[in-house]
Amino acid sequence: MTIQRMDNVAIVVDDLDAAVAFFTDLGMELEGRAQIEGLYADRTVGLDGVRSDIAMMRTPDGHSKLELTKYHTPAVSDAEPRNPPPNTLGLHRVMFAVDDIDDTIARLRPHGAELLGEVARYENIFRLCYLRGPAGIIVALAEQIG
């Protein structure tokens, strides 16, 4: 028995509209929004009194999705440290292939995106960078050049 596909990756954010705007300017499409609450939600995530809003974002090719989640109850808890470095254990980075890395960075800067280092060249194949996105996650960008 094997899995069918990876359906989505969830990111908990404190400002859902700002996160939707960030990922929209990155080039993702808003698939839909919904409010999540009730016994099934409590049982699924293992918390009592879950009430959240989600926005499902998809890549233009339709193969990958991000679920952006804003919890109203129970209250969110901050990860420590707030903006973990790239070598922190656990899931915290999402990578996107882009056509023009410089243009993408310029579009994301008004949303608070900050480069963690610089745009670097990997041989004559890729230009790569890490930047800080919504909720402190690291968004990696890769532009194929060769």
Side-chain angles (χ1 to χ4, degrees), residues 22-143:
F22 177 94
F23 286 106
T24 297
D25 276 354
L26 178 60
M28 298 189 83
E29 301 166 1
L30 178 63
E31 187 173 85
R33 292 177 83 132
Q35 188 172 69
I36 307 298
E37 63 184 326
L39 189 56
Y40 82 94
D42 293 359
R43 287 181 174 170
T44 301
V45 301
L47 297 170
D48 292 326
V50 169
R51 188 172 61 81
S52 64
D53 290 313
I54 65 166
M56 191 63 72
M57 307 294 295
R58 74 170 171 261
T59 55
D61 66 4
H63 295 295
S64 301
K65 297 180 185 180
L66 287 179
E67 177 186 302
L68 304 173
T69 304
K70 161 74 174 158
Y71 278 90
H72 300 287
T73 59
V76 297
S77 59
D78 275 336
E80 291 295 328
R82 177 79 171 138
N83 290 316
N87 62 340
T88 302
L89 291 175
L91 177 66
H92 61 93
R93 178 189 58 76
V94 180
M95 179 175 263
F96 295 94
V98 298
D99 293 329
D100 182 335
I101 202 166
D102 298 313
D103 176 66
T104 303
I105 293 167
R107 284 184 290 134
L108 297 178
R109 277 202 167 115
H111 299 283
E114 298 177 17
L115 283 170
L116 295 183
E118 59 188 60
V119 177
R121 182 180 298 260
Y122 172 71
E123 298 179 354
N124 285 323
I125 303 170
F126 290 104
R127 293 180 70 219
L128 306 163
C129 72
Y130 276 17
L131 51 89
R132 189 74 62 187
I137 66 158
I138 297 171
V139 175
L141 304 176
E143 174 188 349

